[in-house]
Amino acid sequence: MYTISVLFVLAVISTKCKGQYDPCHVFPKNQYILVGKGTKVICSCMKGSKIYWTVNAEHVDEKLSERVNATHAILSLNDVIKPLTVECHNEVTHQVVGGTTIRTYTKPINISCILYHEDQGGAVRIPELLTCSWEHHIDTSLKVNYTVQCASSSAPDSSKKKRCSSQKKTCTFKNILTSIGISDDITVAVTATTAFWEVVSDPYEVHLYHIFKTIRPELKVTARPDELFAQWRRTEDNHIERCEVKYRMISSAKEEPTKWSFNYSQYTTKHTIEKVKSCINYTVSVRCALERAPWSEWSHERTILTKLSNHQAVKLWRKLSDLGKKGVRNVHVMWTGIPSTCEGTFNYTIKQIPIQNHKTEINDHSCGNTTCDITMDADVYRLNLTVFHNETPLVEESVYVPAAGENFTEVTDIQTSSRKGTLLVSWKPPTRPVDGYMIDWTHVGNQYFWKRSEDTNATLFNLQDKTPYNITVTPLFDGKTGHGVQALLVCSALGDPGDVIVSVEPADKTAVVTYSVKSQDPCRGVVNNYTIFYGKQKGPVHNVTVDGQTKGVTLKDLKPDTEYHVNVTAMALTGNSTSKEMLFTTKKMDPSLIITLGVCGCIFILLVLTLGLCCTVQWKKFKDKPVPNPGLSSVALWSSQNHQKGKGPFQQFLTPSESFCDRVHTEDTQTASTSSLATDCFAPEQTEENTDMAICPSPDTQYEQSVKSPCSPGESTAFLPSESSPYRSQSSVENPNKQCKRVPVKLQERTPLKTVYVTLDMFKEDQSR
Ligand SMILES: *[C@@H]1O[C@H](CO)[C@@H](O)[C@H](O)[C@H]1NC(C)=O
Ligand SMILES: *[C@@H]1O[C@H](CO)[C@@H](O)[C@H](O)[C@H]1NC(C)=O
Ligand SMILES: *[C@@H]1O[C@H](CO)[C@@H](O)[C@H](O)[C@H]1NC(C)=O
Ligand SMILES: *[C@@H]1O[C@H](CO)[C@@H](O)[C@H](O)[C@H]1NC(C)=O
Ligand SMILES: *[C@@H]1O[C@H](CO)[C@@H](O)[C@H](O)[C@H]1NC(C)=O
Ligand SMILES: *[C@@H]1O[C@H](CO)[C@@H](O)[C@H](O)[C@H]1NC(C)=O
Ligand SMILES: *[C@@H]1O[C@H](CO)[C@@H](O)[C@H](O)[C@H]1NC(C)=O
Ligand SMILES: *[C@@H]1O[C@H](CO)[C@@H](O)[C@H](O)[C@H]1NC(C)=O
């Protein structure tokens, strides 16, 4: 029973689902339509499910969709301008039940045609070729075949029709004028054909003359003074032509701009280019066109050297030297204006005409091409330059030379400033009125530039960069010139500060960097500040900036025994200069420490040496004293009398001279271990031979105590026998000395000692027995 009911439910569900499945299809598929046109799309579903449309994934307005009957729905699309994707959706499930794409195409547009000659040279004749081109935008990579039809507008019948096929957007008809007259209007239409569609362009109607590109003109150019004359062959009879001439000066220095001369005239075939410069190459070319028709090709370019002008201006100026000792001065005369490229021979002469009344002698000077150096006396002269071209005088110019030392009014207070490679010069005018000023300037000393200014200022152009110039300003009045005033060494611009030289003195954790800027060049910028860049190899770069007055910097916090690099940038307002990179290695230790250690070491060594010397001296002294032979002495009782009188030669022997050396040792040992040394000293039984010197006071105390000292020896040493004593070889002799020195006992501290005193007197007595 349960199983049956489950089956039933499943059956019901399955029937329901089956009922909703409704196969649909959308047609027509893959349409192509002309841009701007409309189309219809049908969605048909077998079971008549409700549907809705989307176009390019957007819902479509209900109005555009129409339900024709139970199974068919139609979507109307108007004015399609771009490709569309149309989809049909089931209204219940929202599933896409069918779809199609609509693609667009356009007509060929902007048709243009040109009638022209295949060969640009040769005689005037009928043009052979007609080339038409157009634009066509299609949104697919479909292969398109174009057919161009050209027909005479007056007689559009088949006899005056021509066709041309192409797969590109241009097509050329040959010999079209055999079937169509040159004076005809023509109609051109382009048909584009693909596998899916075909479209014909709007017709293009044009008069053949308006598309006639005439043959390239043949140009001839001749040079005349101040102008160029261009002539060319007429290319077409009886029709208005316009021509265009372009020309350009060919200058080696720079690219000269092209200039144009336009002319519209019915029959002209010539043109004059006026005001050309003298003796310079120009290129000229021309092109022509029928009225409204396209330009012909440019004619071949003609290059021609212009002639020297009849009014060639010559600029003349002079520089005066100071009057020499012999009353002679040099006048450097110079001029410009005759280009070196001019043809023919040029000669230059200068007439030196005295102006003072009593002089009449006129000197002629024959000169070089641009300058003339003349020596003259202190008088006033006028110099006349005459330029001869092929032996005939071409132009004359004169310049005034004032008398040397003549108190002419001069300009004052010349100021200069540089700006962007130019120099602005200004000055105060002299008190008397002037016509103008001549400014001359030079950067090499003997080659001058000059120009005239009416104002009390001038701007000098075309200067060498960062170069010192000498500038002179000379007033001009009444056709005369005054004396010039010179501004010395004005820089056209300031540069960077110049080479930076760096030196480093490394210590262990610091390094002193010193630097300087080396340059003889006067046009260097003034250093505003220095930046020192330094760092370990492959480490970060640190920097320190100081002002331009600081000549050295101490780098701190460096690591000992490490390689560093350092460079210095000098910064001026006009640019920066950076030194070469320098490497240095910091020291392992502080050099001052090393020096201190060294000094201490030396002092120590000196001390030791001194000490050694002292000891040697002492030893020598001791050795030179006669030493008694205890073997030859006898033992006797110590008499108090003897004791009292305990002074004599031995006393002297025991009292060492007061020397630095003794003192040092005494003090040393006193501080060391008083007790142990004292013990040694007071243990005479350990060395029998020491009997003579068993106990000694310290040298310090001996001075006061020597007489009372218990160890004070007797006077017997003077009677010591021969050196062959067996004791001699023993250390008895040294011991007294040594021990004496080392005994540090202070009298105050001394405890009463129970000791057997032996004096040499005993031995003496014994011996004498
Ligand atoms: C619905 O209309 C279309 C075209 O209008 C027609 O082809 C089709 O047979 C019609 N269907 C029915 C069921 O009438
Ligand atoms: C285009 O022209 C060529 C030859 O003229 C022809 O083979 C081809 O089928 C044409 N294509 C179309 C799309 O008309
Ligand atoms: C154009 O040609 C005419 C006649 O030859 C001439 O008078 C006129 O100056 C020319 N114009 C120019 C701009 O060259
Ligand atoms: C002067 O110019 C002529 C050409 O005009 C040239 O042959 C000659 O060498 C020049 N003389 C000097 C000194 O420059
Ligand atoms: C500028 O004039 C001075 C003095 O007359 C002269 O010594 C110097 O050479 C001149 N310098 C230049 C670059 O002409
Ligand atoms: C020269 O001075 C005049 C008048 O003082 C001024 O108008 C002119 O701009 C100045 N020219 C230059 C180049 O400074
Ligand atoms: C260094 O000098 C330049 C130029 O005067 C200035 O612009 C800059 O601020 C200075 N730098 C420092 C750190 O003073
Ligand atoms: C100097 O170092 C500082 C940081 O330490 C940095 O900000 C600055 O840009 C550096 N200056 C130069 C000129 O490199």
Side-chain angles (χ1 to χ4, degrees):
M1 183 64 195
Y2 179 75
T3 325
I4 290 171
S5 59
V6 170
L7 282 176
F8 177 74
V9 170
L10 282 176
V12 167
I13 289 170
S14 74
T15 0
K16 271 236 165 199
C17 288
K18 256 189 187 165
Q20 281 196 345
Y21 177 72
D22 184 1
C24 302
H25 85 282
V26 173
F27 59 94
K29 295 274 185 211
N30 297 328
Q31 290 189 73
Y32 285 89
I33 64 170
L34 189 63
V35 164
K37 296 280 187 234
T39 185
K40 283 185 163 57
V41 182
I42 297 166
C43 181
S44 93
C45 298
M46 300 272 276
K47 297 190 179 162
S49 309
K50 284 205 161 181
I51 59 102
Y52 65 89
W53 297 95
T54 59
V55 172
N56 288 353
E58 280 181 20
H59 272 268
V60 176
D61 193 342
E62 288 277 324
K63 288 177 210 155
L64 300 174
S65 174
E66 186 195 350
R67 191 135 197 124
V68 186
N69 53 32
T71 55
H72 284 60
I74 297 180
L75 174 68
S76 304
L77 295 167
N78 301 320
D79 195 16
V80 176
I81 53 166
K82 58 178 182 181
L84 301 176
T85 304
V86 178
E87 282 169 327
C88 178
H89 300 254
N90 186 307
E91 204 171 86
V92 181
T93 62
H94 297 291
Q95 270 171 334
V96 176
V97 292
T100 183
T101 55
I102 297 169
R103 271 170 279 192
T104 56
Y105 58 87
T106 59
K107 291 179 186 176
I109 51 166
N110 289 351
I111 301 168
S112 66
C113 299
I114 291 177
L115 185 66
Y116 61 104
H117 293 89
E118 192 165 15
D119 178 10
Q120 288 292 305
V124 174
R125 59 191 188 279
I126 290 173
E128 307 91 5
L129 303 179
L130 176 75
T131 295
C132 291
S133 52
W134 55 91
E135 290 167 31
H136 193 207
H137 305 288
I138 47 171
D139 63 345
T140 62
S141 54
L142 286 178
K143 251 194 149 181
V144 188
N145 280 355
Y146 295 103
T147 313
V148 187
Q149 182 176 288
C150 176
S152 166
S153 306
S154 54
D157 56 61
S158 58
S159 69
K160 290 200 167 186
K161 238 180 220 173
K162 281 229 158 191
R163 269 173 203 281
C164 162
S165 293
S166 163
Q167 287 176 341
K168 291 180 288 182
K169 290 169 194 164
T170 177
C171 199
T172 299
F173 297 89
K174 287 193 174 168
N175 299 322
I176 195 154
L177 292 189
T178 53
S179 50
I180 300 171
I182 180 88
S183 50
D184 278 0
D185 282 357
I186 55 163
T187 304
V188 178
V190 180
T191 307
T193 312
T194 69
F196 302 100
W197 48 266
E198 182 178 282
V199 64
V200 184
S201 74
D202 294 332
Y204 162 65
E205 217 176 303
V206 70
H207 193 286
L208 273 182
Y209 265 118
H210 294 165
I211 56 168
F212 181 17
K213 179 173 146 184
T214 54
I215 211 163
R216 170 162 71 198
E218 273 299 319
L219 174 68
K220 218 175 104 186
V221 186
T222 44
R224 301 169 180 171
D226 296 316
E227 61 185 35
L228 287 173
F229 181 66
Q231 261 183 305
W232 57 94
R233 196 164 35 75
R234 252 206 358 244
T235 52
E236 213 54 50
D237 297 318
N238 305 327
H239 282 88
I240 295 173
E241 264 186 303
R242 65 182 196 277
C243 294
E244 188 172 72
V245 175
K246 75 173 176 186
Y247 62 97
R248 188 164 57 92
M249 200 162 86
I250 302 176
S251 148
S252 53
K254 56 179 181 183
E255 181 80 7
E256 292 287 338
T258 299
K259 295 181 178 173
W260 306 85
S261 293
F262 295 96
N263 211 330
Y264 294 82
S265 108
Q266 195 162 8
Y267 292 119
T268 204
T269 53
K270 54 184 184 271
H271 179 68
T272 303
I273 302 167
E274 287 164 352
K275 293 179 189 159
V276 292
K277 293 198 176 169
S278 295
C279 313
I280 290 187
N281 273 327
Y282 278 77
T283 62
V284 184
S285 74
V286 63
R287 64 181 183 179
C288 293
L290 300 182
E291 194 192 5
R292 295 167 67 188
W295 286 110
S296 70
E297 303 281 307
W298 282 105
S299 72
H300 290 295
E301 271 195 348
R302 302 289 172 209
T303 301
I304 189 160
L305 183 70
T306 53
K307 288 248 188 306
L308 179 63
S309 166
N310 286 335
H311 324 281
Q312 191 65 30
V314 172
K315 280 168 67 192
L316 179 66
W317 188 233
R318 86 290 179 281
K319 293 290 290 178
L320 311 177
S321 77
D322 290 337
L323 199 61
K325 276 183 186 147
K326 291 175 185 165
V328 172
R329 55 181 169 162
N330 291 315
V331 180
H332 181 72
V333 188
M334 52 213 172
W335 56 92
T336 59
I338 309 294
S340 60
T341 44
C342 287
E343 285 167 338
T345 57
F346 290 88
N347 293 307
Y348 305 86
T349 59
I350 283 179
K351 270 191 172 55
Q352 181 188 341
I353 305 161
I355 291 188
Q356 267 148 5
N357 293 332
H358 62 273
K359 278 201 178 179
T360 49
E361 186 195 356
I362 294 176
N363 283 330
D364 273 1
H365 303 271
S366 171
C367 298
N369 284 346
T370 56
T371 60
C372 211
D373 284 299
I374 297 172
T375 53
M376 58 174 67
D377 57 25
D379 287 342
V380 186
Y381 290 96
R382 186 166 282 285
L383 301 176
N384 273 15
L385 169 75
T386 310
V387 181
F388 295 89
H389 185 210
N390 297 335
E391 320 266 284
T392 51
L394 178 76
V395 49
E396 230 175 78
E397 188 64 69
S398 87
V399 68
Y400 181 86
V401 180
E406 199 176 306
N407 193 13
F408 266 109
T409 350
E410 294 171 344
V411 302
T412 51
D413 193 20
I414 300 180
Q415 304 273 341
T416 57
S417 62
S418 63
R419 189 181 302 162
K420 287 178 190 161
T422 66
L423 269 175
L424 307 182
V425 188
S426 64
W427 54 88
K428 293 232 170 75
T431 44
R432 69 179 289 173
V434 296
D435 301 335
Y437 304 90
M438 194 66 96
I439 302 98
D440 62 72
W441 64 98
T442 178
H443 65 283
V444 287
N446 57 0
Q447 190 197 343
Y448 293 87
F449 304 90
W450 66 96
K451 77 182 210 179
R452 203 187 144 110
S453 169
E454 310 303 323
D455 247 321
T456 58
N457 58 17
T459 307
L460 314 183
F461 297 97
N462 299 329
L463 305 179
Q464 302 266 319
D465 196 23
K466 296 168 197 157
T467 306
Y469 277 84
N470 278 347
I471 301 169
T472 306
V473 182
T474 311
L476 309 172
F477 40 84
D478 306 336
K480 300 175 183 174
T481 67
H483 280 288
V485 172
Q486 197 172 25
L488 287 181
L489 298 186
V490 178
C491 286
S492 54
L494 290 181
D496 55 40
D499 295 344
V500 184
I501 293 167
V502 180
S503 65
V504 184
E505 264 181 48
D508 58 339
K509 290 183 189 148
T510 60
V512 178
V513 180
T514 49
Y515 40 80
S516 57
V517 171
K518 292 265 177 318
S519 178
Q520 305 297 324
D521 189 342
C523 296
R524 295 295 192 174
V526 178
V527 180
N528 269 328
N529 44 38
Y530 292 97
T531 301
I532 295 90
F533 296 91
Y534 67 99
K536 278 184 277 192
Q537 303 292 15
K538 293 181 186 160
V541 177
H542 305 284
N543 67 60
V544 187
T545 299
V546 294
D547 63 35
Q549 270 69 50
T550 312
K551 295 294 177 204
V553 163
T554 304
L555 308 179
K556 299 204 176 89
D557 300 330
L558 306 182
K559 280 199 172 164
D561 195 24
T562 306
E563 188 173 55
Y564 281 86
H565 58 88
V566 64
N567 64 46
V568 177
T569 299
M571 289 184 273
L573 284 178
T574 47
N576 297 345
S577 303
T578 299
S579 71
K580 281 185 196 148
E581 187 165 275
M582 241 187 107
L583 297 180
F584 67 90
T585 308
T586 47
K587 298 263 192 306
K588 279 195 180 122
M589 285 165 87
D590 188 352
S592 65
L593 185 67
I594 293 172
I595 289 169
T596 315
L597 283 179
V599 169
C600 291
C602 287
I603 291 174
F604 180 74
I605 288 166
L606 272 178
L607 275 177
V608 168
L609 284 177
T610 318
L611 189 64
L613 200 65
C614 289
C615 292
T616 316
V617 168
Q618 284 299 351
W619 162 236
K620 279 241 163 161
K621 267 189 197 169
F622 176 77
K623 201 176 148 195
D624 291 347
K625 304 252 173 187
V627 178
N629 185 347
L632 299 176
S633 58
S634 62
V635 179
L637 276 173
W638 181 265
S639 71
S640 57
Q641 200 185 7
N642 268 344
H643 184 214
Q644 292 294 326
K645 306 184 264 181
K647 41 185 165 178
F650 215 79
Q651 169 68 41
Q652 185 192 353
F653 164 70
L654 265 181
T655 310
S657 62
E658 182 186 4
S659 75
F660 165 71
C661 175
D662 297 328
R663 196 177 287 278
V664 168
H665 272 260
T666 313
E667 281 163 5
D668 269 357
T669 38
Q670 262 176 349
T671 51
S673 63
T674 312
S675 57
S676 72
L677 283 172
T679 319
D680 280 353
C681 212
F682 296 122
E685 65 273 11
Q686 287 179 356
T687 45
E688 293 161 60
E689 291 75 27
N690 277 354
T691 44
D692 53 348
M693 294 296 304
I695 194 162
C696 327
S698 89
D700 272 356
T701 56
Q702 267 179 350
Y703 304 112
E704 312 146 32
Q705 297 289 323
S706 55
V707 179
K708 293 172 257 173
S709 165
C711 96
S712 225
E715 50 274 321
S716 63
T717 36
F719 311 102
L720 273 176
S722 77
E723 308 237 324
S724 58
S725 157
Y727 295 112
R728 184 75 184 165
S729 59
Q730 296 183 0
S731 56
S732 61
V733 191
E734 287 172 74
N735 279 340
N737 204 4
K738 253 189 198 166
Q739 287 199 343
C740 269
K741 283 185 192 160
R742 292 172 71 185
V743 170
V745 181
K746 289 187 180 160
L747 278 183
Q748 297 89 333
E749 291 166 21
R750 192 184 290 167
T751 47
L753 294 166
K754 291 170 187 167
T755 317
V756 177
Y757 295 104
V758 178
T759 64
L760 289 176
D761 291 17
M762 300 190 299
F763 298 99
K764 191 186 165 191
E765 249 172 56
D766 210 18
Q767 187 195 11
S768 61
R769 252 182 249 156

